[in-house]
Amino acid sequence: IGQTVNTALPGRIGELARMYLVCRREGLSKAHVMATIVVEKVADLAMFAVSIGLLVVAMSLPAWMARSGIAFVWTAAILVVSTLTLTFWHKEILQLIERAALRIPRRWVIRVTRLAEAALSALRSLRSWRRGFLIWLLSAAVLAFSILTNYIVFVAMRISLGLIAALFLAVVLRIGAAPPSLPGKVGLFHYLVVLALSLFGIDKTTALGYAFVLYAVAV
């Protein structure tokens, strides 16, 4: 649901729409659903940080891009550690919240405690090594299939670029998808593909043709 709304509408409201619909259909609290979305986003950010780290090692990036990439990797690492801390030390964190809540009016104590319990309970899936492994595996698979799709279209169109170029293109498209734009990223998607492939010596006509094919296949 969230991915569909994100693609169709600008403003990145997909997460809010997903939270509303899931809460309405499943009867879960908003804090619980939002926490599951946070887990998803943190896992995606971690895999994205891994891809940027691979690019920094595998190819010669401009200095500003390399610095930005390293900063992003550190940011993602802090988010992952923070999420794991909330996951495995949730009881201690709840106790701290309850102590801090004693300083606010009683009617707010119950509400704050319930919200904290609902949010932290959604993180318990990461405490199971099987579920946690599945979450990280699926996040890695999403990135891997994105890279593989780019590479297969390279091969199909007889463009002599390898997996590193496919990885770089995936990263550029991921970054370019963050700001709001036209529905379906029409125009922006094609511009980013042409821009990314130009760094590998691909002429604009070939790159634009590739962009149309990749858009049809991927989007």
Side-chain angles (χ1 to χ4, degrees):
I1 294 173
Q3 295 301 323
T4 302
V5 177
N6 273 340
T7 302
L9 297 175
R12 309 300 292 177
I13 66 170
E15 286 76 16
L16 296 178
R18 189 195 326 182
M19 180 182 68
Y20 171 78
L21 291 174
V22 172
C23 290
R24 186 175 179 180
R25 293 183 58 181
E26 304 297 332
L28 299 173
S29 69
K30 294 179 181 178
H32 183 95
V33 177
M34 183 56 69
T36 64
I37 295 175
V38 169
V39 171
E40 173 193 333
K41 297 305 177 183
V42 169
D44 287 344
L45 281 175
M47 293 301 108
F48 190 56
V50 170
S51 65
I52 292 179
L54 291 175
L55 280 179
V56 171
V57 174
M59 61 181 294
S60 179
L61 297 174
W64 65 269
M65 187 179 294
R67 288 195 299 268
S68 300
I70 294 173
F72 182 87
V73 170
W74 277 107
T75 302
I78 292 172
L79 289 174
V80 171
V81 171
S82 300
T83 302
L84 294 178
T85 301
L86 291 173
T87 299
F88 290 97
W89 284 278
H90 67 284
K91 292 182 179 179
E92 292 79 1
I93 294 173
L94 275 176
Q95 291 175 356
L96 291 175
I97 293 175
E98 291 174 354
R99 293 174 184 174
L102 294 176
R103 301 178 181 179
I104 63 177
R106 178 64 181 175
R107 63 179 181 274
W108 291 99
V109 173
I110 299 176
R111 183 175 180 84
V112 170
T113 304
R114 286 179 178 176
L115 287 174
E117 289 178 348
L120 292 175
S121 66
L123 301 178
R124 291 177 184 172
S125 60
L126 292 176
R127 299 184 67 184
S128 167
W129 71 268
R130 290 183 179 180
R131 292 182 181 179
F133 176 75
L134 185 59
I135 290 173
W136 295 111
L137 179 63
L138 290 176
S139 297
V142 170
L143 175 62
F145 278 117
S146 176
I147 297 170
L148 188 60
T149 300
N150 295 344
Y151 177 72
I152 291 175
V153 178
F154 284 154
V155 175
M157 297 189 65
R158 298 181 180 180
I159 298 176
S160 300
L161 293 178
L163 288 173
I164 298 299
L167 172 60
F168 180 79
L169 178 58
V171 169
V172 170
L173 290 175
R174 180 69 178 273
I175 295 174
S181 64
L182 293 174
K185 307 297 178 183
V186 176
L188 176 62
F189 181 95
H190 304 79
Y191 170 76
L192 291 173
V193 171
V194 173
L195 181 65
L197 296 187
S198 66
L199 297 180
F200 296 90
I202 304 300
D203 64 89
K204 293 183 179 180
T205 302
T206 302
L208 184 60
Y210 174 89
F212 279 112
V213 175
L214 183 62
Y215 187 89
V217 172
V219 179

